[in-house]
Amino acid sequence: MSETLESIALAMVATGKGILAADESSGTIKKRFDAINVESTEDNRRDYREMMFRTTDAMTNHISGVILFDETIRQKGADGTPLVDVIKAAGALPGIKVDGGAKELAGAPGEMITEGLDGLRDRFAQYYKIGARFAKWRAVINIGENIPSTYCISTNVHALARYAKLAQEAGIVPIVEPEVIMDGSHSIERCEEVTETTLIALFDALREQEVNLEGCILKPNMVISGSTASNRAGVQEVAERTLKVFKRTVPAAIPGIVFLSGGQSDLEATAHLGAMNKMGPLPWKLSFSYGRALQAAPQKAWAGKADNVPAAQAAFGHRAKMNSLASKGEYSTDLEK
Ligand code: 13P
């Protein structure tokens, strides 16, 4: 079959599969490595990520694609095989983070705007040649006193749509990621309101800029209590409120919604996904694109030591499998044992 945006998008959310977000920027991966006392060198970053990409069962059966950082998409494994080829050999798609990170939004204290549109057409052409078939751009929406502003939401969704259109022109499926940040003491009601407003604005911008929805994947936050809220909502409430907002705002033409974990524990992220998929039938596939929730366990098990690779791969494989079951509505916490 010839490859189209639609066929790539469908492959990204194939039944029982989700995405591994391994696209931490240099600064973020250093933070993760600091936590396990590993120096963030180019070789250590390579070894760590290659270890996951060579976890055969997980990569073949539970992971549809991997989001890479610019360094990784150009890197070769220890035996000289390009990491892109290691990922493809397992049957997964290479993807690329193309945004330039979130910077302070001018004149809007506490708010952020994602940079990276300049030169993006040429970068997409290059990434396509290297093998990327999907991409990611993350917008950051903070909740606080009197924020987010309409200004912050509208500038961020405008940039997301411009990125998405350029990706599609290059034959690359855009993951559009408007992340309403969990940090803060806000209630789940406040998160619901901000998420709904953001998604309405996002799909307006995508329509205005004629983005093909069938060739686009949404990567949102869940509707969840702030991380330091006094009464945090339970699993069922998170699942119900999240689905309520999506049904109101996300067109059925979108083939799939893949969540970010956003600071939830790995077990929470799996439980929430599982609960939502038990509430089907739904108009879109609902799966995962987790960074921390897939990698926290393998990072801890690995701790930078070659001897720990089998244990780290087992930890990664387990989380991938649990999330795969959750994406099919077949997860229960008993399966964690
Ligand atoms: P987390 O799952 O750790 O939030 O990372 C996903 C991601 O890609 C954020 O941009």
Side-chain angles (χ1 to χ4, degrees):
M1 194 181 77
S2 71
E3 193 180 65
T4 61
L5 292 172
E6 292 81 355
S7 69
I8 297 166
L10 288 171
M12 290 165 69
V13 289
T15 302
K17 292 190 177 183
I19 292 168
L20 165 63
D23 59 322
E24 299 83 4
S25 62
S26 313
T28 303
I29 195 73
K30 183 179 180 307
K31 256 195 272 172
R32 305 276 181 266
F33 277 14
D34 284 348
I36 53 170
N37 287 316
V38 175
E39 196 188 343
S40 186
T41 63
E42 198 174 328
D43 280 356
N44 283 343
R45 293 191 291 269
R46 190 269 318 274
D47 289 348
Y48 167 65
R49 287 167 168 151
E50 183 174 13
M51 177 266 293
M52 290 189 288
F53 307 159
R54 289 194 186 276
T55 305
T56 323
D57 174 58
M59 292 294 296
T60 305
N61 298 314
H62 310 312
I63 301 291
S64 58
V66 184
I67 317 175
L68 302 166
F69 190 57
D70 180 79
E71 174 185 272
T72 321
I73 203 167
R74 302 168 193 281
Q75 241 170 355
K76 292 188 168 68
D79 70 358
T81 312
L83 292 180
V84 163
D85 291 343
V86 174
I87 291 167
K88 287 201 263 184
L93 292 162
I96 181 76
K97 167 196 173 81
V98 297
D99 66 66
K103 308 287 157 60
E104 287 176 17
L105 178 63
E111 301 198 283
M112 314 291 280
I113 180 74
T114 302
E115 293 188 343
L117 288 169
D118 287 355
L120 189 52
R121 172 177 279 137
D122 295 338
R123 288 169 58 220
F124 271 134
Q126 199 186 87
Y127 286 137
Y128 186 92
K129 270 197 207 132
I130 302 177
R133 289 297 176 270
F134 70 95
K136 173 189 121 172
W137 178 290
R138 171 175 176 258
V140 169
I141 310 292
N142 287 322
I143 295 183
E145 218 180 307
N146 300 320
I147 63 169
S149 62
T150 306
Y151 163 41
C152 170
I153 293 174
S154 66
T155 46
N156 272 291
V157 298
H158 188 266
L160 273 165
R162 282 195 62 198
Y163 139 82
K165 194 68 182 173
L166 282 164
Q168 292 186 334
E169 180 189 78
I172 290 180
V173 169
I175 294 182
V176 291
E177 180 179 358
E179 177 173 0
V180 176
I181 301 290
M182 188 168 93
D183 299 352
S185 58
H186 53 271
S187 64
I188 190 168
E189 287 84 358
R190 180 83 177 116
C191 177
E192 179 177 318
E193 176 185 44
V194 172
T195 303
E196 183 166 337
T197 303
T198 301
L199 290 175
I200 290 169
L202 172 66
F203 284 98
D204 280 352
L206 295 178
R207 180 172 298 116
E208 205 170 84
Q209 298 188 40
E210 300 179 358
V211 172
N212 165 0
L213 297 184
E214 289 81 0
C216 186
I217 297 286
L218 175 68
K219 176 165 174 167
N221 53 286
M222 295 179 192
V223 173
I224 195 166
S225 311
S227 51
T228 57
S230 42
N231 269 320
R232 303 199 69 227
V235 173
Q236 194 56 28
E237 185 175 358
V238 169
E240 283 169 14
R241 287 186 187 268
T242 304
L243 286 181
K244 179 170 86 177
V245 168
F246 290 176
K247 284 179 181 171
R248 288 177 171 181
T249 58
V250 183
I254 288 283
I257 298 174
V258 293
F259 290 102
L260 58 96
S261 59
Q264 298 178 46
S265 75
D266 36 11
L267 293 185
E268 271 179 328
T270 310
H272 289 145
L273 179 63
M276 284 185 244
N277 277 307
K278 284 202 168 95
M279 293 166 65
L282 302 170
W284 349 258
K285 285 285 187 63
L286 218 58
S287 192
F288 57 91
S289 174
Y290 293 155
R292 283 163 284 180
L294 277 170
Q295 297 185 56
Q299 270 161 17
K300 213 169 143 199
W302 176 60
K305 298 195 175 67
D307 285 352
N308 294 338
V309 164
Q313 288 183 319
F316 172 56
H318 178 70
R319 289 270 39 95
K321 185 169 180 188
M322 293 298 107
N323 285 304
S324 162
L325 289 168
S327 75
K328 294 186 286 185
E330 294 169 11
Y331 175 76
S332 78
T333 47
D334 312 338
L335 298 166
E336 293 290 348
K337 284 161 207 134

